[in-house]
């Protein structure tokens, strides 16, 4: 939202041009807000605090944490046999990862939109590492150029530039949102085809497979 920064959807390929779509294979933690009432309340508060700002808010059905993006080639070039191999590899890796609960929040404004911080890092990093191993076993270590960085939950994407003063106003408003944190239970990951639309500033997906976390026989960590 900074007036000096270009706005692009996050893909490991070159930035999308207006009107262009990208479809890439990802591994997500899919977030079902109907099962996460406290998180749903937090997100409602953020939306209310920013209702007049130039943001496209994520639809309730599309909230996710990106664990891996296969950016080496478009999803259309990943054959069914390779997709099934990825599901099998992810299933094997998730046998060592037990379900866990993390904390979502506080909301953080960025030039590209609003995100929600996640913590603690350790279980998320272990989950990301296991996911990455599965992709590398099937596709090799050069399958992606996308760095997931510090894992987060995106709430909205910026659709216009704002002044620095406006940006600071947004920061102050979301800082006052209460509750500012919420729990999130993580007990599965999803292999998905993700569609990024740069014109609408939206990211949607088609779920190909859901893989449960089975560490400790699926018991809570």
């Amino acid at each position: 939202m900074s007036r000096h920064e270009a706005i692009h959807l996050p893909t490991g390929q070159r930035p999308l041009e207006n009107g262009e779509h990208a479809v890439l294979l990802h591994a997500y933690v899919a977030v079902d807000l109907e099962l996460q009432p406290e998180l749903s309340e937090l997100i409602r508060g953020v939306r209310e605090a920013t209702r007049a700002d130039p943001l496209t808010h994520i639809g309730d059905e599309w909230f996710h944490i990106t664990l891996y993006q296969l950016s080496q080639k478009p999803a259309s070039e990943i054959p069914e046999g390779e997709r099934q191999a990825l599901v099998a590899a992810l299933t094997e890796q998730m046998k060592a990862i037990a379900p866990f609960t993390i904390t979502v929040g506080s909301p953080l404004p960025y030039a590209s939109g609003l995100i929600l911080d996640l913590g603690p890092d350790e279980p998320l990093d272990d989950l990301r590492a296991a996911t990455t191993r599965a992709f590398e076993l099937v596709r090799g270590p050069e399958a992606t150029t996308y760095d997931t960085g510090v894992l987060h939950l995106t709430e909205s994407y910026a659709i216009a530039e704002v002044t620095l003063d406006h940006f600071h106003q947004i920061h102050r408003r979301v800082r006052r949102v209460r509750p500012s944190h919420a729990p999130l239970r993580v007990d599965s990951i999803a292999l998905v085809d993700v569609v990024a639309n740069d014109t609408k500033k939206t990211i949607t997906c088609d779920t190909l497979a859901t893989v449960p976390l089975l560490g400790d026989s699926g018991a809570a960590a």
Side-chain angles (χ1 to χ4, degrees):
M1 289 174 287
S2 165
R3 65 183 304 171
H4 298 300
E5 297 203 31
I7 300 165
H8 299 297
L9 293 185
T11 70
Q13 300 176 324
R14 62 176 173 76
L16 299 176
E17 303 296 336
N18 284 340
E20 191 176 13
H21 298 215
V23 183
L24 298 172
L25 198 64
H26 287 63
Y28 273 178
V29 172
V31 177
D32 186 343
L33 291 184
E34 291 187 0
L35 301 178
Q36 311 285 345
E38 293 171 271
L39 178 56
S40 182
E41 182 180 358
L42 167 56
I43 288 171
R44 281 197 300 271
V46 171
R47 288 172 175 170
E48 177 63 23
T50 58
R51 64 186 183 277
D53 297 309
L55 297 165
T56 293
H57 297 280
I58 300 292
D60 285 1
E61 68 271 37
W62 306 122
F63 278 97
H64 63 275
I65 302 166
T66 298
L67 299 171
Y68 189 92
Q69 178 193 103
L70 204 165
S71 58
Q72 185 186 53
K73 57 175 61 178
S76 60
E77 296 181 20
I78 308 299
E80 181 60 26
E82 201 163 287
R83 290 166 182 256
Q84 292 304 316
L86 284 168
V87 173
L90 288 167
T91 299
E92 186 65 26
Q93 290 294 326
M94 292 308 119
K95 291 179 180 178
I97 305 294
F100 56 90
T101 298
I102 57 173
T103 298
V104 181
S106 296
L108 302 172
Y110 276 79
S112 56
L114 289 174
I115 68 169
L116 296 162
D117 200 13
L118 304 172
D121 293 327
E122 288 78 6
L124 286 167
D125 288 342
D126 289 345
L127 180 59
R128 173 170 52 185
T131 301
T132 300
R133 280 195 298 273
F135 275 85
E136 290 182 347
L137 284 169
V138 177
R139 294 287 306 166
E142 305 302 323
T144 190
T145 58
Y146 181 62
D147 181 6
T148 51
V150 177
L151 296 181
H152 59 275
L153 190 70
T154 298
E155 192 283 324
S156 56
Y157 294 106
I159 56 175
E161 298 176 344
V162 298
T163 65
L164 184 59
D165 181 63
H166 189 163
F167 182 81
H168 287 162
Q169 290 177 28
I170 293 171
H171 190 280
R172 286 192 290 271
R173 281 188 263 114
V174 299
R175 176 70 178 81
R176 297 188 185 103
V177 170
R178 291 293 184 273
S180 59
H181 297 75
L184 172 62
R185 183 69 172 168
V186 178
D187 56 16
S188 66
I189 66 171
L191 185 67
V192 294
D193 275 342
V194 175
V195 181
N197 186 315
D198 193 56
T199 300
K200 296 180 179 179
K201 292 293 186 290
T202 60
I203 288 183
T204 58
C205 69
D206 292 321
T207 300
L208 308 174
T210 299
V211 179
L213 309 188
L214 295 176
D216 296 337
S217 299

